[in-house]
Amino acid sequence: MLQLRPNCECCNTDLPPDSTHAMICTFECTFCRECTEGALQGRCPNCGGELLQRPRRPAAALAKYPASTQRIYKPRGEPASR
């Protein structure tokens, strides 16, 4: 199940679970649309994978399966050490 992380890892912008501006890679690294289309040029700085719009969880399911509250922030999209 997707974690639905709460922020852009690059600029720390809030990305609520119903956001249409949240973009993710296959490892669920999360970025806002502005960083994705700008500085990151559509690629995850952590894995090099494609960034696509994150699916939204239906509101009824959020009560049972809440979004993550863990914030990950790496200014300028600096790669995480894996």
Side-chain angles (χ1 to χ4, degrees):
M1 180 176 324
L2 291 176
Q3 293 179 1
L4 302 177
R5 294 178 185 166
N7 67 304
C8 172
E9 293 181 23
C10 188
C11 71
N12 208 28
T13 295
D14 289 337
L15 295 169
D18 62 348
S19 176
T20 59
H21 294 281
M23 310 293 281
I24 62 172
C25 71
T26 61
F27 291 100
E28 293 189 62
C29 300
T30 305
F31 302 94
C32 68
R33 185 175 304 278
E34 291 76 16
C35 288
T36 295
E37 293 174 353
L40 303 178
Q41 299 180 345
R43 292 285 167 201
C44 176
N46 301 320
C47 70
E50 180 180 25
L51 292 167
L52 300 172
Q53 184 173 331
R54 179 180 73 190
R56 289 167 285 164
R57 187 166 300 149
L62 276 171
K64 187 172 181 179
Y65 305 103
S68 173
T69 58
Q70 179 186 7
R71 296 180 78 86
I72 299 173
Y73 178 48
K74 296 181 288 285
R76 298 177 309 281
E78 296 170 359
S81 55
R82 290 205 186 256

